[in-house]
Amino acid sequence: MSETGIGARVKRVEDFRFLTGKGNYTDDINRPDQTYAYILRSPHAHAKINRIDTGAAKSAPGVVAVFTGADVEEVGGLPCGWQIHSKDGSPMAEPKHPLMVADKVRHVGDQVAIVIAETYDQAKDAAGLIEVDYEELPAVVSMPEATGGNSSLVHDDVTNNVCYDWELGDKAAVDAAFDKAAKVTTIDLTNQRMIANAMEPRAAVGEYNAATGEYTLYTTSQNPHVIRLLMGAFVLGIPEHKLRVVAPDVGGGFGSKIFHYAEEALVTWASGQIKRPIKWTAERSESFMSDAQGRDHVTHAELAMDDQGNFLALRVSTLANMGAYLSTFASSVPTYLYATLLAGVYTTPVIYAEVKAVFTNTVPVDAYRGAGRPECTYLLERLVDKAARETGIDRAEIRRKNMIQADQFPYQTPVALQYDVGNYPACFDSALKASDYDGFTQRKVQSEANGKLRGIGISTYIEACGIAPSAVAGALGARAGLYESAQVRVHPTGSVTVFTGTHSHGQGHETTFSQIISEAFGVPIENVEISHGDTDKVQFGMGTYGSRSLAVGGSAIAKACDKIIVKATKIAAHMLEASEADIEFKDGKFTVAGTDKELGFGDVALQAYVPHNYPIEELEPGLDENAFYDPLNFSYPSGCHICEVEVDPDTGVVEVAKFTAVDDVGRVINPMIVEGQVHGGVAQGIGQALLETAVYDDDGQLLTGSYMDYTMPRADDVPSYTVGQQSVMGASNPLEVKGVGEVGAIGSPPAVINAVLNALEPLGVQDIAMPATPRKVWQAIQGAQVAQAAE
Amino acid sequence: MPTVSMTVNGKAVSADVEPRTLLVQYLRENLRLTGTHVGCDTSQCGACVVHVNGKSVKSCTVLAVQTEGADVTTIEGLATNSELHPMQEAFRENHGLQCGFCTPGMVMSAIDLVQNNTNPSEQDIREWLEGNICRCTGYHNIVKSIEAGAKAMQG
């Protein structure tokens, strides 16, 4: 292993600019003659717009223009990228998602008008002068009520507010297995709505060049090419060659910056109207009511077992909240990213899931770190724990006895996926050991001596990532290919620029991808530059989400490197007057086998651009290769997370005392970055388990609309983590990687809740909903005590 | 419009500003010191922390006119030439940042902690950071960075 190659703990190359305040985020960008936009948003969840009067706003100081829904009626709506079909074969309901609404608002925060002025404060002041005559309508908030037949309709033409009613699996086989079951465990769960809350609020700068007819959009996006495609082709009708999208440094995404948002299209469109650049930056309170939110499932599930606790069948019924409109990938999250994982790491032979997606008068819901897979894992691991309690089988034992064994790969699940490689028992045992599972009883006694209830919780998980094989995704309804592209440009003196279609917003691609180049060409990492985030520089790309950057984007880079080496070998053979077959390339040197003749990588690169001694009849000059990589299968990271909590029975406060994560992420390029990804994911999982929730009241008002109300995990809410890997090399891509971005958020919530329930078990508490806040825990304790007293 | 004068990163600056201008707006928009970030509108996240007369302050919660005559240091004022401040270097060494957005506030806040407590424990650090939110790192490596930075600042 070289010092900066694959597997090295290289310090990040991007850090210097971030640590010195030289990052370049969208809001840091200022264009000549720039104006500022403020978006007027609906204060109501559901209301008819009778009239909008913008007269006073238009004549306010500094105002350049005011536009409303009527001005963009001819412009396309925001598209959804994944079509789901219902059980009966009908396509999902896809009501228009307008950039600004003209008829009725459908959630608090829905866009009503855009005010453009010389300064932001002037735009905001003027927005206060717009008069909107709203006629309030009953809000649809609860999913069971929304689908109940008597509800008001979010979209007048969507019956019962149902977007689709989808199923997966063999229902008859599952029903038959339940008929024969010795024991059935059932569970009802809510996976609460989350808000991604990347620390950088969304922002967008639109600029129209009247001389060339070109538009440029600077935006906080995880996938600028996808935004160019969606906005250009479906919303504004601007062809790709006249539209540049730049996603510069982006301050976190966690899924929420995948999607194409109205503000991006609005500033782009309006910059063409006023012929000046326009900047819009969300205030945090706007982020709360306009960034797509996450999760929000209500699920009933049943697990059938034989008399030994072997899993026979799983039956799942889920209501999934879409919010008011379909966001870009919303429809895929509770279906193909959720139900296809319901086997988990277990051998459950038959599984049936049905998912009803529901429109409500709330902010749209879409992928949030893990997207579907955390919901699936939470359901399974809560259910398995409950099955253990009800059968009297030890929690570790019931998992172990139902686990897919290392010799069963490739493993075909009953829910469409084929797991390629893995060793779940090894990971499981490794986690039990790393967490000192056997020493728990002693720690529990110590906690009890301090008046605390200690609990331990286990969770295993599997995820499908490296999204995705395009043909598979397409067959399942994706309206895009999900390959990735890379261009590796070797410069004349042997330094290298890589253009990647993925996007880094915290993941450290500039370091990890440089390590791939360093390994491939034997060049020091300082000689490598990674370029991403600009559609004018990077040929194409699908961006970063679904833990795909390394598995798919990195593999494209590896493929382009292979092409470079093939060509460079031909050049070296010519220069060394040897046959191509005799040339070896290692550690940055081309040698002729059995001789001491050698050439450095830079010598060959120079000859490619100064082809004086060059096989010009067979080879073009230059050393610059493109590759597109489309994976053959998903990759399947897996793992086991173990959490220990201490509960204060007097206050209900839960403290995470210990958290251990052992993950199988395949080959590790940079262990430091991998650990950091797990830490961050686990903190988000602990946040979901104990702290965070988006709350709407019955009128559809978002009660948790700021950091005063929505509890973000802070440094003293989480512990230091024990993180390890027990990896089987990936089999679905040339780098043998699996993906690490989401594992922490997937595995951790059920480990935490199982630990809380384990702590409270002696008090008779059987269930607790996320987030397990002190109030909820305290109430559960009191409720159980009252129930016990009554018995 | 009132005139406000102060020293920022060792340089005397002066401008006419609207009275409602926040210090962070003044830094970002007038002085183009965009290393100081705005992550919320309720004074919770700490991405905007700068030093005013040596103490950490949330620059989204101070009017520019309130810092008349003050000595302000932002993240851009920490490194001398291209040499990082020991706390910046500790964050780099310990992978204490991912997306980088909360980082300037974290570093400025951490330095003020160490000015008050030269040898902070893990618990001291975690409690001190109650006013700084990070969504990427899970805080594990930020805590390690500050422990290392505190040691380096004494050295």
Side-chain angles (χ1 to χ4, degrees):
Chain A
M1 180 174 89
S2 78
E3 274 175 33
T4 58
I6 289 176
R9 198 173 269 274
V10 179
K11 304 296 177 219
R12 297 204 323 170
V13 300
E14 43 274 87
D15 285 358
F16 185 83
R17 72 173 185 275
F18 293 137
L19 281 163
T20 52
K22 302 294 185 199
N24 183 36
Y25 300 90
T26 300
D27 188 55
D28 301 341
I29 291 169
N30 292 293
R31 304 299 302 162
D33 203 28
Q34 174 178 292
T35 61
Y36 295 82
Y38 179 83
I39 310 277
L40 182 70
R41 298 179 184 280
S42 168
H44 304 292
H46 198 190
K48 197 165 158 248
I49 296 176
N50 287 327
R51 190 179 60 89
I52 304 181
D53 182 352
T54 59
K58 278 179 173 158
S59 54
V63 170
V64 177
V66 180
F67 299 106
T68 65
D71 298 304
V72 292
E73 275 191 324
E74 299 307 310
V75 172
L78 299 170
C80 179
W82 201 299
Q83 188 178 47
I84 299 294
H85 286 84
S86 288
K87 292 170 184 169
D88 63 6
S90 61
M92 66 187 188
E94 279 186 88
K96 187 175 178 181
H97 186 177
L99 302 187
M100 294 186 287
V101 285
D103 54 349
K104 69 169 185 175
V105 293
R106 294 179 180 84
H107 67 88
V108 169
D110 215 349
Q111 303 83 228
V112 173
I114 180 170
V115 182
I116 300 156
E118 298 296 338
T119 71
Y120 180 74
D121 287 339
Q122 286 173 333
K124 192 174 178 180
D125 289 347
L129 303 174
I130 296 176
E131 283 179 32
V132 186
D133 177 7
Y134 290 107
E135 182 180 328
E136 281 188 70
L137 301 166
V140 183
V141 180
S142 123
M143 285 194 282
E145 282 173 25
T147 54
N150 298 317
S151 170
S152 145
L153 295 176
V154 179
H155 299 277
D156 296 343
D157 53 352
V158 180
T159 315
N160 285 336
N161 296 304
V162 175
C163 174
Y164 56 76
D165 183 5
W166 173 88
E167 66 181 347
L168 181 70
D170 186 340
K171 187 172 192 296
V174 168
D175 290 346
F178 269 87
D179 289 343
K180 286 188 296 188
K183 168 75 191 157
V184 173
T185 291
T186 65
I187 200 161
D188 287 280
L189 291 175
T190 296
N191 200 294
Q192 85 272 28
R193 186 181 287 224
M194 301 284 288
I195 300 180
N197 272 311
M199 293 317 298
E200 177 203 26
R202 285 190 299 114
V205 182
E207 181 171 16
Y208 175 67
N209 182 334
T212 61
E214 288 169 357
Y215 289 85
T216 302
L217 168 68
Y218 302 87
T219 182
T220 47
S221 175
Q222 300 176 215
N223 30 243
H225 290 84
V226 174
I227 301 305
R228 185 181 64 170
L229 179 68
L230 294 177
M231 183 175 82
F234 299 101
V235 185
L236 299 182
I238 306 170
E240 281 96 334
H241 68 293
K242 292 289 184 191
L243 177 57
R244 175 186 178 200
V245 178
V246 182
D249 286 328
V250 171
F254 314 110
S256 69
K257 291 172 182 167
I258 299 171
F259 324 119
H260 179 33
Y261 286 98
E263 297 85 357
E264 296 172 318
L266 280 175
V267 296
T268 305
W269 171 81
S271 74
Q273 304 293 309
I274 68 165
K275 309 285 189 286
R276 288 177 66 183
I278 304 168
K279 180 194 275 191
W280 168 80
T281 303
E283 297 183 14
R284 178 58 62 183
S285 49
E286 281 185 279
S287 307
F288 272 98
M289 58 176 127
S290 67
D291 291 6
Q293 302 179 349
R295 316 279 193 258
D296 207 346
H297 285 194
V298 174
T299 296
H300 173 77
E302 303 159 285
L303 177 65
M305 290 168 279
D306 67 14
D307 57 2
Q308 301 297 307
N310 294 306
F311 303 164
L312 300 178
L314 176 66
R315 193 156 51 196
V316 175
S317 178
T318 294
L319 287 175
N321 204 333
M322 296 288 102
Y325 305 97
L326 277 180
S327 176
T328 311
F329 287 112
S331 50
S332 66
V333 176
T335 49
Y336 292 109
L337 295 176
Y338 167 68
T340 52
L341 277 304
L342 281 168
V345 297
Y346 306 115
T347 55
T348 317
V350 285
I351 297 172
Y352 175 74
E354 53 186 352
V355 179
K356 208 178 263 186
V358 182
F359 289 115
T360 58
N361 290 120
T362 59
V363 175
V365 177
D366 207 323
Y368 164 59
R369 200 172 195 169
R373 291 148 292 175
E375 295 90 314
C376 168
T377 302
Y378 182 66
L379 162 66
L380 271 181
E381 293 298 307
R382 286 285 313 271
L383 186 56
V384 168
D385 247 37
K386 194 170 182 211
R389 272 200 303 281
E390 291 182 358
T391 57
I393 302 171
D394 174 75
R395 290 175 298 164
E397 184 50 34
I398 199 169
R399 287 182 167 86
R400 196 177 271 123
K401 77 186 299 178
N402 284 288
M403 213 169 262
I404 297 162
Q405 297 300 303
D407 60 4
Q408 288 181 277
F409 293 93
Y411 182 85
Q412 179 62 52
T413 74
V415 273
L417 296 180
Q418 189 182 73
Y419 302 160
D420 53 359
V421 286
N423 188 342
Y424 311 140
C427 224
F428 189 65
D429 290 339
S430 177
L432 291 178
K433 194 167 166 228
S435 67
D436 186 24
Y437 190 75
D438 294 338
F440 171 70
T441 314
Q442 207 181 342
R443 294 190 292 277
K444 188 177 169 72
V445 170
Q446 283 167 0
S447 295
E448 272 167 8
N450 296 326
K452 301 281 175 64
L453 300 168
R454 197 175 185 101
I456 190 164
I458 305 175
S459 163
T460 67
Y461 71 88
I462 178 99
E463 67 155 322
C465 63
I467 290 170
S470 296
V472 175
L476 302 180
R479 287 163 165 162
L482 287 163
Y483 51 82
E484 199 43 77
S485 89
Q487 183 179 11
V488 174
R489 180 177 298 165
V490 181
H491 301 290
T493 57
S495 65
V496 182
T497 303
V498 176
F499 300 89
T500 171
T502 65
H503 186 278
S504 187
H505 31 279
Q507 296 87 343
H509 293 173
E510 289 167 51
T511 307
T512 307
F513 291 176
S514 295
Q515 289 179 251
I516 296 173
I517 297 296
S518 180
E519 180 81 23
F521 298 155
V523 296
I525 204 167
E526 297 77 24
N527 290 7
V528 186
E529 191 70 28
I530 306 297
S531 177
H532 64 83
D534 184 342
T535 61
D536 264 12
K537 287 185 182 168
V538 178
Q539 57 290 351
F540 202 72
M542 295 307 295
T544 288
Y545 43 83
S547 304
R548 69 189 303 276
S549 294
L550 193 54
V552 192
S555 295
I557 294 171
K559 269 190 75 178
C561 288
D562 290 345
K563 290 186 186 177
I564 292 280
I565 291 169
V566 166
K567 185 172 182 183
T569 301
K570 287 187 207 285
I571 301 168
H574 182 88
M575 292 170 73
L576 293 165
E577 297 176 336
S579 112
E580 210 180 303
D582 291 336
I583 301 290
E584 289 172 357
F585 179 61
K586 204 180 162 211
D587 298 333
K589 287 196 167 35
F590 293 91
T591 53
V592 181
T595 74
D596 59 357
K597 293 207 289 186
E598 67 170 42
L599 280 173
F601 184 71
D603 301 325
V604 174
L606 187 63
Q607 196 60 226
Y609 290 95
V610 189
H612 294 164
N613 175 19
Y614 198 82
I616 200 74
E617 285 177 6
E618 353 162 358
L619 220 52
E620 295 169 15
L623 201 51
D624 189 346
E625 296 286 354
N626 254 317
F628 280 64
Y629 176 76
D630 201 325
L632 297 173
N633 191 354
F634 297 93
S635 59
Y636 297 95
S638 63
C640 177
H641 291 187
I642 298 178
C643 177
E644 273 181 56
V645 299
E646 272 192 339
V647 180
D648 182 336
D650 296 330
T651 63
V653 169
V654 177
E655 188 192 334
V656 179
K658 205 162 139 63
F659 197 98
T660 307
V662 176
D663 302 293
D664 175 355
V665 297
R667 185 176 300 288
V668 169
I669 307 290
N670 185 324
M672 177 189 81
I673 288 176
V674 163
E675 288 160 13
Q677 287 292 308
V678 175
H679 296 159
V682 168
Q684 285 180 350
I686 292 173
Q688 173 160 27
L690 298 180
L691 305 167
E692 300 178 46
T693 184
V695 180
Y696 290 88
D697 71 8
D698 292 344
D699 297 325
Q701 288 294 330
L702 178 63
L703 301 183
T704 49
S706 82
Y707 289 150
M708 311 278 277
D709 313 294
Y710 185 94
T711 316
M712 292 284 280
R714 294 177 194 243
D716 59 354
D717 292 316
V718 292
S720 288
Y721 319 97
T722 305
V723 171
Q725 285 111 37
Q726 176 73 42
S727 291
V728 177
M729 293 301 122
S732 298
N733 58 70
L735 288 172
E736 302 183 319
V737 299
K738 294 185 181 174
V740 68
E742 298 164 292
V743 298
I746 293 170
S748 54
V752 178
I753 294 298
N754 285 342
V756 172
L757 287 173
N758 179 246
L760 299 181
E761 202 174 342
L763 303 182
V765 175
Q766 312 230 341
D767 185 28
I768 196 132
M770 297 192 292
T773 56
R775 175 167 168 257
K776 254 189 237 165
V777 171
W778 188 86
Q779 284 177 333
I781 293 170
Q782 303 309 311
Q785 283 173 348
V786 168
Q788 277 181 344
E791 278 172 12
Chain B
M1 284 200 287
T3 301
V4 61
S5 304
M6 64 186 91
T7 306
V8 177
N9 299 331
K11 221 167 90 182
V13 292
S14 181
D16 296 336
V17 296
E18 270 197 71
R20 62 177 164 178
T21 305
L22 299 168
L23 176 58
V24 69
Q25 283 178 300
Y26 178 67
L27 294 171
R28 287 183 56 83
E29 289 164 25
N30 288 57
L31 303 180
R32 293 283 189 243
L33 291 171
T34 54
T36 301
H37 297 149
V38 180
C40 75
D41 45 14
T42 51
S43 199
Q44 297 278 307
C45 81
C48 65
V49 170
V50 299
H51 291 180
V52 175
N53 297 327
K55 281 191 178 322
S56 60
V57 163
K58 286 180 173 170
S59 62
C60 74
T61 314
V62 181
L63 296 168
V65 293
Q66 287 177 286
T67 51
E68 171 68 31
D71 187 4
V72 176
T73 306
T74 71
I75 190 74
E76 288 93 342
L78 285 185
T80 44
N81 300 320
S82 60
E83 193 171 331
L84 296 176
H85 182 282
M87 189 59 78
Q88 290 171 310
E89 184 58 35
F91 270 71
R92 199 184 77 83
E93 279 291 320
N94 291 281
H95 189 28
L97 64 152
Q98 292 185 21
C99 81
F101 197 79
C102 76
T103 309
M106 285 285 175
V107 170
M108 298 309 286
S109 186
I111 291 171
D112 194 23
L113 163 66
V114 179
Q115 286 170 176
N116 291 294
N117 177 354
T118 53
N119 185 24
S121 68
E122 174 175 346
Q123 197 53 35
D124 293 338
I125 294 169
R126 288 185 181 277
E127 283 173 14
W128 176 267
L129 292 180
E130 62 154 15
N132 291 80
I133 303 176
C134 168
R135 193 55 150 169
C136 292
T137 64
Y139 302 101
H140 182 109
N141 285 340
I142 289 179
V143 172
K144 275 172 63 182
S145 300
I146 297 175
E147 283 172 347
K151 283 200 183 78
M153 279 172 68
Q154 307 315 310

PDB file of all heavy atoms in Angstrom, chain A residues 122-135:
ATOM      1  N   GLN A 122     -34.945  44.560   1.162  1.00  0.00           N
ATOM      2  CA  GLN A 122     -35.998  45.239   0.394  1.00  0.00           C
ATOM      3  C   GLN A 122     -37.000  44.225  -0.169  1.00  0.00           C
ATOM      4  O   GLN A 122     -38.211  44.468  -0.170  1.00  0.00           O
ATOM      5  CB  GLN A 122     -35.375  46.046  -0.759  1.00  0.00           C
ATOM      6  CG  GLN A 122     -34.687  47.314  -0.275  1.00  0.00           C
ATOM      7  CD  GLN A 122     -33.919  48.012  -1.387  1.00  0.00           C
ATOM      8  OE1 GLN A 122     -33.466  47.384  -2.346  1.00  0.00           O
ATOM      9  NE2 GLN A 122     -33.763  49.326  -1.263  1.00  0.00           N
ATOM     10  N   ALA A 123     -36.483  43.083  -0.634  1.00  0.00           N
ATOM     11  CA  ALA A 123     -37.380  42.059  -1.189  1.00  0.00           C
ATOM     12  C   ALA A 123     -38.299  41.515  -0.098  1.00  0.00           C
ATOM     13  O   ALA A 123     -39.509  41.330  -0.291  1.00  0.00           O
ATOM     14  CB  ALA A 123     -36.551  40.929  -1.809  1.00  0.00           C
ATOM     15  N   LYS A 124     -37.721  41.305   1.064  1.00  0.00           N
ATOM     16  CA  LYS A 124     -38.510  40.760   2.174  1.00  0.00           C
ATOM     17  C   LYS A 124     -39.532  41.782   2.676  1.00  0.00           C
ATOM     18  O   LYS A 124     -40.694  41.435   2.938  1.00  0.00           O
ATOM     19  CB  LYS A 124     -37.559  40.344   3.310  1.00  0.00           C
ATOM     20  CG  LYS A 124     -38.217  39.515   4.391  1.00  0.00           C
ATOM     21  CD  LYS A 124     -37.183  39.019   5.386  1.00  0.00           C
ATOM     22  CE  LYS A 124     -37.852  38.223   6.488  1.00  0.00           C
ATOM     23  NZ  LYS A 124     -36.888  37.715   7.470  1.00  0.00           N
ATOM     24  N   ASP A 125     -39.095  43.014   2.773  1.00  0.00           N
ATOM     25  CA  ASP A 125     -40.025  44.072   3.193  1.00  0.00           C
ATOM     26  C   ASP A 125     -41.199  44.157   2.216  1.00  0.00           C
ATOM     27  O   ASP A 125     -42.367  44.264   2.620  1.00  0.00           O
ATOM     28  CB  ASP A 125     -39.315  45.429   3.245  1.00  0.00           C
ATOM     29  CG  ASP A 125     -38.331  45.528   4.407  1.00  0.00           C
ATOM     30  OD1 ASP A 125     -38.383  44.662   5.291  1.00  0.00           O
ATOM     31  OD2 ASP A 125     -37.502  46.474   4.402  1.00  0.00           O
ATOM     32  N   ALA A 126     -40.892  44.122   0.930  1.00  0.00           N
ATOM     33  CA  ALA A 126     -41.942  44.276  -0.078  1.00  0.00           C
ATOM     34  C   ALA A 126     -42.902  43.084  -0.053  1.00  0.00           C
ATOM     35  O   ALA A 126     -44.115  43.249  -0.267  1.00  0.00           O
ATOM     36  CB  ALA A 126     -41.313  44.423  -1.468  1.00  0.00           C
ATOM     37  N   ALA A 127     -42.378  41.910   0.223  1.00  0.00           N
ATOM     38  CA  ALA A 127     -43.247  40.723   0.280  1.00  0.00           C
ATOM     39  C   ALA A 127     -44.323  40.892   1.341  1.00  0.00           C
ATOM     40  O   ALA A 127     -45.443  40.369   1.210  1.00  0.00           O
ATOM     41  CB  ALA A 127     -42.413  39.467   0.549  1.00  0.00           C
ATOM     42  N   GLY A 128     -43.988  41.642   2.379  1.00  0.00           N
ATOM     43  CA  GLY A 128     -44.962  41.911   3.435  1.00  0.00           C
ATOM     44  C   GLY A 128     -46.120  42.771   2.964  1.00  0.00           C
ATOM     45  O   GLY A 128     -47.150  42.873   3.647  1.00  0.00           O
ATOM     46  N   LEU A 129     -45.962  43.410   1.801  1.00  0.00           N
ATOM     47  CA  LEU A 129     -47.020  44.272   1.266  1.00  0.00           C
ATOM     48  C   LEU A 129     -47.946  43.537   0.298  1.00  0.00           C
ATOM     49  O   LEU A 129     -48.919  44.110  -0.189  1.00  0.00           O
ATOM     50  CB  LEU A 129     -46.390  45.484   0.550  1.00  0.00           C
ATOM     51  CG  LEU A 129     -45.446  46.344   1.399  1.00  0.00           C
ATOM     52  CD1 LEU A 129     -44.762  47.413   0.543  1.00  0.00           C
ATOM     53  CD2 LEU A 129     -46.221  46.996   2.550  1.00  0.00           C
ATOM     54  N   ILE A 130     -47.615  42.283  -0.011  1.00  0.00           N
ATOM     55  CA  ILE A 130     -48.481  41.516  -0.920  1.00  0.00           C
ATOM     56  C   ILE A 130     -49.724  41.075  -0.144  1.00  0.00           C
ATOM     57  O   ILE A 130     -49.619  40.555   0.972  1.00  0.00           O
ATOM     58  CB  ILE A 130     -47.745  40.282  -1.478  1.00  0.00           C
ATOM     59  CG1 ILE A 130     -46.564  40.736  -2.346  1.00  0.00           C
ATOM     60  CG2 ILE A 130     -48.695  39.391  -2.287  1.00  0.00           C
ATOM     61  CD1 ILE A 130     -45.711  39.601  -2.868  1.00  0.00           C
ATOM     62  N   GLU A 131     -50.883  41.341  -0.750  1.00  0.00           N
ATOM     63  CA  GLU A 131     -52.130  40.911  -0.100  1.00  0.00           C
ATOM     64  C   GLU A 131     -52.647  39.648  -0.784  1.00  0.00           C
ATOM     65  O   GLU A 131     -52.886  39.653  -1.989  1.00  0.00           O
ATOM     66  CB  GLU A 131     -53.186  42.010  -0.207  1.00  0.00           C
ATOM     67  CG  GLU A 131     -52.949  43.146   0.772  1.00  0.00           C
ATOM     68  CD  GLU A 131     -53.997  44.237   0.629  1.00  0.00           C
ATOM     69  OE1 GLU A 131     -55.157  43.889   0.282  1.00  0.00           O
ATOM     70  OE2 GLU A 131     -53.663  45.400   0.842  1.00  0.00           O
ATOM     71  N   VAL A 132     -52.792  38.591  -0.015  1.00  0.00           N
ATOM     72  CA  VAL A 132     -53.342  37.348  -0.557  1.00  0.00           C
ATOM     73  C   VAL A 132     -54.652  37.064   0.162  1.00  0.00           C
ATOM     74  O   VAL A 132     -54.689  37.048   1.400  1.00  0.00           O
ATOM     75  CB  VAL A 132     -52.374  36.162  -0.356  1.00  0.00           C
ATOM     76  CG1 VAL A 132     -52.905  34.911  -1.070  1.00  0.00           C
ATOM     77  CG2 VAL A 132     -50.976  36.497  -0.837  1.00  0.00           C
ATOM     78  N   ASP A 133     -55.715  36.896  -0.620  1.00  0.00           N
ATOM     79  CA  ASP A 133     -57.022  36.556  -0.033  1.00  0.00           C
ATOM     80  C   ASP A 133     -57.147  35.029  -0.033  1.00  0.00           C
ATOM     81  O   ASP A 133     -57.416  34.415  -1.060  1.00  0.00           O
ATOM     82  CB  ASP A 133     -58.133  37.211  -0.867  1.00  0.00           C
ATOM     83  CG  ASP A 133     -59.521  36.835  -0.350  1.00  0.00           C
ATOM     84  OD1 ASP A 133     -59.605  36.174   0.722  1.00  0.00           O
ATOM     85  OD2 ASP A 133     -60.507  37.189  -1.023  1.00  0.00           O
ATOM     86  N   TYR A 134     -56.869  34.434   1.122  1.00  0.00           N
ATOM     87  CA  TYR A 134     -56.958  32.973   1.253  1.00  0.00           C
ATOM     88  C   TYR A 134     -58.342  32.588   1.772  1.00  0.00           C
ATOM     89  O   TYR A 134     -58.880  33.244   2.673  1.00  0.00           O
ATOM     90  CB  TYR A 134     -55.950  32.461   2.291  1.00  0.00           C
ATOM     91  CG  TYR A 134     -54.494  32.538   1.888  1.00  0.00           C
ATOM     92  CD1 TYR A 134     -53.652  33.488   2.464  1.00  0.00           C
ATOM     93  CD2 TYR A 134     -53.954  31.638   0.977  1.00  0.00           C
ATOM     94  CE1 TYR A 134     -52.304  33.545   2.138  1.00  0.00           C
ATOM     95  CE2 TYR A 134     -52.600  31.689   0.640  1.00  0.00           C
ATOM     96  CZ  TYR A 134     -51.778  32.647   1.227  1.00  0.00           C
ATOM     97  OH  TYR A 134     -50.454  32.693   0.909  1.00  0.00           O
ATOM     98  N   GLU A 135     -58.874  31.499   1.224  1.00  0.00           N
ATOM     99  CA  GLU A 135     -60.095  30.922   1.778  1.00  0.00           C
ATOM    100  C   GLU A 135     -59.711  29.556   2.333  1.00  0.00           C
ATOM    101  O   GLU A 135     -59.445  28.614   1.583  1.00  0.00           O
ATOM    102  CB  GLU A 135     -61.133  30.768   0.657  1.00  0.00           C
ATOM    103  CG  GLU A 135     -62.460  30.227   1.109  1.00  0.00           C
ATOM    104  CD  GLU A 135     -63.414  30.106  -0.091  1.00  0.00           C
ATOM    105  OE1 GLU A 135     -63.337  30.927  -1.039  1.00  0.00           O
ATOM    106  OE2 GLU A 135     -64.200  29.148  -0.080  1.00  0.00           O
TER     107      GLU A 135
END
